[in-house]
Amino acid sequence: MKRPSSLRSKINVYFITMLVVILGIFSLAITQYFKETFRENAVSNGEQLVGQSISTMDTYFSHLKKIIQVLGSNENILKAVQYRNSVDEIDYKYELANKWTVEYAMQNAIGYNYDIKDIIIIGKEGTALYHSGGSIKSDYNFWEQDWFPSKQDDYAIVKFTGLHEQDYYFNKTDEQTISMFIPVKDYRNVHKDYNATLVFNFYVDKMFYSGDLSFSHAIMIVDSQGNTVWNTSNNLNGEQMLQMKQQLIGDKGSFIVDQTDSDTSPYSVVYDTSQITGWKNIGLKSLDEVDRHIHVLIMFSFYSVLATIAAVLISSMIISKSITKPITKLAQKFKRIPLESLEVDLYDDSTKEILILSATADKMINKIKDLNHEVLFEQASAKDAQVRALQHQINPHFLNNTLQIIKALALSNDSQAISEISTILGKMLTYSIYQPYEMVELMKEIHHAENFLKIQMYRYPNMFDYEVVFPEDLSSVKVPKLILQPIVENAIQHGILKKGHGYLVISIQEEDEHILISVIDNGGCMSTEEQEQIENELKNNQVGSKSSSIGLANIHERVKISYGGNCGIRINSEYGKQTTISIVIQK
């Protein structure tokens, strides 16, 4: 059988051929065009470019100076630095708040200036106190580095450093940056020394952009020590670079860098010095003699463009047809799937990729068929489990006891009480029967539990008091339906009634990332052994023999399914004092 060719190989053949032709033509045309333009506009364009570049750079750094000066006197930073430099042992509870406020101030500065790479605050020992970037080596001393300024001024004097490595970061030793420095200072009290330095580091490749000017000049920036900060041209060889730097005398000027061998070109150099950073901005322009046959160049460029357009159009048509035909065929088969109940044969070997795709799709369809059967079986099983759980929620004994209460009230002609208890019972049955597995507001679940308590107070008059305590802002929190009333029922039946009289509290409170729905009673408290037994049953998904354990297990499992394994039932019993059953849910 013939092995199908891959779509990738077809695309590679077509587009490689097309791109080689296009790039070859345009490279030659653009090179010729650049040489012509460079020769005609060398000095005038160079002066204009450097002047604009200096103005833009000084304006930009003036803006950044204001930002670093404001940040250097930030009240939260002053407070944090003063604390770190004044204690030998850090109180991390206090330091955590300082760190948050300092990092917040740093991120605000970075958020409005995307060129800022990171910000570091260096303390009195020369080590980093705070930083916005990655992890900094704890034993790294910035004062010992050649690029770090040897002396910091007492006032708002901003200093700059040229390009240097960021070897103080873990796993980033090869990255380079430029930096601004200013002492951390409270300018309302300039005589107070905080012994700290604020450092701004910048993305070098984002700091400088020559834009359309790069078509006429290359840009180079060198710092006050002669180190290259930015360079858009790599055409100068080592001798030319040395010759150029030796002639950078004074704040501004222009000169020619001579050709050193047959492979190099002479360059026109125009430079000026930034009043903010002290860096020299250099414009470079090649002075090679170029072919001046403009007419030939124009005609050649014109026909090259036409040929490229034709080649792209033809190639696009061929590639489009080659790719879309088998995919369209396969798509038509997919459309038939809903009509033929997954009985469509998707096998197609027109290409290697389509063969893999169609074969995989066939396997997926077979898998879907198997999964459909499994889902139907699991849905049936889940329905049975829901019915059993619902039957447990609607306790026949509770209904019978409530009807007996109504009967007794009828014999005593207490029509008002009969009306109230019948209304409450109707609300409970409505709430329990309709959609018992939906998520409801916490307030509705509490009202349902209170209705149960009101009926129990009719059944056991003067046997207990109850109280509901919860913040109003949690009333709309969504919880699984019918999780609170069974716990309240257990507290009465297995707690308060054993004691003879007591109190019951329903308490709602927040704990970290969770909400605790607690039922507290002072009835017959369980022993440590009983508590451990129930906790083990809940942990291992074992349902105990007692109805209380069954109810707790049902609630525990439902809460875990809804919120995850960290949630569920929590038990805390102080023997002889009180028992607390808490439902832990996620916020």
Side-chain angles (χ1 to χ4, degrees):
M1 185 175 82
K2 181 182 179 181
R3 184 177 180 180
S5 60
S6 68
L7 290 175
R8 184 175 182 180
S9 64
K10 292 181 179 180
I11 293 173
N12 287 341
V13 170
Y14 294 141
F15 277 96
I16 288 175
T17 303
M18 179 185 65
L19 290 176
V20 167
V21 173
I22 293 174
L23 291 177
I25 293 173
F26 276 93
S27 294
L28 179 59
I30 292 173
T31 299
Q32 295 297 325
Y33 174 77
F34 280 179
K35 289 181 179 180
E36 180 68 20
T37 305
F38 288 168
R39 186 59 181 172
E40 294 176 349
N41 302 291
V43 177
S44 60
N45 286 356
E47 291 175 346
Q48 180 183 5
L49 169 62
V50 171
Q52 291 176 354
S53 180
I54 286 287
S55 176
T56 301
M57 188 170 70
D58 284 359
T59 300
Y60 178 77
F61 278 112
S62 294
H63 169 69
L64 290 179
K65 282 179 62 176
K66 294 178 182 178
I67 295 174
I68 194 172
Q69 287 168 345
V70 171
L71 194 62
S73 61
N74 180 276
E75 183 177 353
N76 291 325
I77 291 179
L78 294 174
K79 176 183 175 183
V81 169
Q82 183 177 21
Y83 173 74
R84 286 289 296 273
N85 281 340
S86 62
V87 298
D88 294 326
E89 185 174 352
I90 299 173
D91 183 350
Y92 285 98
K93 182 182 293 185
Y94 184 80
E95 173 63 9
L96 184 61
N98 286 344
K99 183 178 181 182
W100 187 90
T101 56
V102 171
E103 290 181 353
Y104 179 79
M106 291 179 175
Q107 291 304 326
N108 273 345
I110 295 174
Y112 291 101
N113 298 274
Y114 297 109
D115 297 334
I116 300 176
K117 184 175 186 180
D118 52 31
I119 303 174
I120 304 172
I121 298 177
I122 300 168
K124 64 180 181 179
E125 303 297 334
T127 57
L129 300 182
Y130 304 98
H131 54 91
S132 65
S135 298
I136 293 180
K137 301 173 184 177
S138 59
D139 59 346
Y140 190 93
N141 193 310
F142 289 80
W143 291 354
E144 297 175 353
Q145 309 308 312
D146 295 337
W147 53 267
F148 195 89
S150 58
K151 181 179 181 301
Q152 287 292 303
D153 297 285
D154 293 333
Y155 298 97
I157 305 299
V158 178
K159 293 189 176 182
F160 294 80
T161 182
L163 202 63
H164 65 87
E165 292 185 349
Q166 288 190 290
D167 56 348
Y168 42 85
Y169 279 127
F170 290 102
N171 303 325
K172 292 186 178 180
T173 57
D174 58 338
E175 293 191 8
Q176 293 195 331
T177 186
I178 56 177
S179 304
M180 295 174 65
F181 304 84
I182 192 172
V184 175
K185 177 68 64 176
D186 183 358
Y187 299 113
R188 295 170 298 182
N189 184 6
V190 295
H191 300 292
K192 186 175 182 179
D193 193 356
Y194 284 82
N195 292 321
T197 303
L198 182 65
V199 181
F200 274 21
N201 293 320
F202 301 93
Y203 289 101
V204 178
D205 56 343
K206 295 181 181 179
M207 286 288 295
F208 309 104
Y209 173 65
S210 57
D212 291 339
L213 294 174
S214 63
F215 284 92
S216 59
H217 274 77
I219 296 296
M220 182 181 295
I221 298 175
V222 298
D223 61 22
S224 55
Q225 284 75 42
N227 299 315
T228 301
V229 175
W230 179 254
N231 185 7
T232 64
S233 173
N234 295 319
N235 294 331
L236 273 69
N237 60 25
E239 292 183 38
Q240 288 182 308
M241 187 71 72
L242 179 61
Q243 181 186 151
M244 181 193 70
K245 290 185 177 181
Q246 289 174 344
Q247 298 183 69
L248 294 174
I249 303 171
D251 291 336
K252 63 185 302 183
S254 62
F255 53 87
I256 300 296
V257 173
D258 298 325
Q259 182 178 8
T260 59
D261 55 49
S262 59
D263 296 327
T264 62
S265 165
Y267 279 85
S268 172
V269 178
V270 180
Y271 70 95
D272 200 350
T273 304
S274 168
Q275 299 301 314
I276 302 296
T277 63
W279 299 344
K280 286 183 169 58
N281 230 331
I282 305 168
L284 298 170
K285 187 170 185 179
S286 172
L287 298 179
D288 262 341
E289 290 295 334
V290 295
D291 187 4
R292 301 206 178 259
H293 299 292
I294 298 176
H295 178 72
V296 175
L297 175 62
I298 293 175
M299 295 303 297
F300 178 77
S301 300
F302 176 74
Y303 287 117
S304 296
V305 170
L306 289 181
T308 301
I309 293 174
V312 170
L313 287 175
I314 295 172
S315 299
S316 297
M317 293 176 60
I318 296 173
I319 295 170
S320 174
K321 183 178 180 180
S322 174
I323 293 176
T324 59
K325 184 177 180 179
I327 295 177
T328 302
K329 182 180 178 181
L330 186 61
Q332 293 298 326
K333 291 184 178 181
F334 270 105
K335 289 182 180 179
R336 289 161 45 197
I337 291 177
L339 302 176
E340 301 185 18
S341 302
L342 303 179
E343 298 299 329
V344 177
D345 182 12
L346 300 176
Y347 185 82
D348 187 345
D349 61 354
S350 56
T351 66
K352 182 178 180 180
E353 289 78 8
I354 294 296
L355 173 61
I356 295 173
L357 182 61
S358 62
T360 304
D362 274 334
K363 293 179 181 178
M364 290 175 61
I365 289 176
N366 292 330
K367 185 65 176 180
I368 290 172
K369 293 178 182 177
D370 296 337
L371 290 174
N372 283 342
H373 293 299
E374 293 179 8
V375 169
L376 291 174
F377 178 78
E378 290 178 357
Q379 287 178 342
S381 300
K383 193 67 177 179
D384 292 340
Q386 290 180 356
V387 171
R388 289 195 299 270
L390 180 59
Q391 290 172 345
H392 178 71
Q393 296 290 351
I394 307 173
N395 193 320
H397 297 291
F398 168 71
L399 293 176
N400 180 64
N401 291 335
T402 305
L403 293 175
Q404 292 298 325
I405 295 171
I406 295 174
K407 178 180 178 182
L409 293 172
L411 293 175
S412 62
N413 294 320
D414 192 346
S415 59
Q416 183 176 353
I418 293 173
S419 175
E420 182 178 356
I421 197 171
S422 299
T423 300
I424 294 173
L425 180 61
K427 291 180 179 179
M428 291 188 65
L429 290 175
T430 301
Y431 186 81
S432 300
I433 292 174
Y434 292 103
Q435 297 180 333
Y437 285 89
E438 68 176 345
M439 300 292 285
V440 298
E441 292 182 353
L442 179 56
M443 176 64 77
K444 293 183 179 180
E445 185 67 9
I446 292 175
H447 284 167
H448 178 71
E450 286 189 282
N451 286 334
F452 175 79
L453 285 169
K454 290 175 182 178
I455 292 178
Q456 295 303 310
M457 294 185 78
Y458 275 105
R459 184 180 179 191
Y460 305 110
N462 301 320
M463 290 289 290
F464 67 92
D465 297 312
Y466 78 89
E467 180 183 6
V468 178
V469 180
F470 75 100
E472 293 184 1
D473 59 339
L474 297 179
S475 61
S476 60
V477 172
K478 296 291 187 178
V479 298
K481 198 173 186 180
L482 300 172
I483 62 171
L484 183 55
Q485 178 258 323
I487 297 178
V488 173
E489 183 176 1
N490 285 343
I492 295 174
Q493 296 296 329
H494 303 286
I496 292 174
L497 294 184
K498 288 184 179 181
K499 185 175 183 180
H501 183 274
Y503 69 88
L504 184 144
V505 178
I506 299 175
S507 172
I508 314 298
Q509 58 185 355
E510 298 181 80
E511 181 185 90
D512 298 331
E513 300 299 322
H514 297 91
I515 296 175
L516 271 61
I517 307 171
S518 302
V519 177
I520 308 166
D521 72 87
N522 67 339
C525 304
M526 65 180 70
S527 65
T528 303
E529 292 77 12
E530 291 175 326
Q531 179 178 336
E532 291 178 352
Q533 179 182 352
I534 294 177
E535 288 176 344
N536 287 332
E537 290 176 353
L538 296 177
K539 181 179 180 180
N540 299 316
N541 295 324
Q542 297 174 347
V543 179
S545 58
K546 298 181 180 180
S547 61
S548 61
S549 297
I550 297 173
L552 291 177
N554 178 271
I555 296 169
H556 182 68
E557 187 64 23
R558 290 179 61 198
V559 171
K560 285 203 304 180
I561 292 173
S562 298
Y563 298 100
N566 293 328
C567 299
I569 295 293
R570 182 188 298 175
I571 303 173
N572 183 18
S573 180
E574 299 180 54
Y575 194 74
K577 294 183 179 180
Q578 66 180 28
T579 298
T580 302
I581 306 293
S582 298
I583 304 171
V584 183
I585 65 173
Q586 197 77 28
K587 282 186 180 180

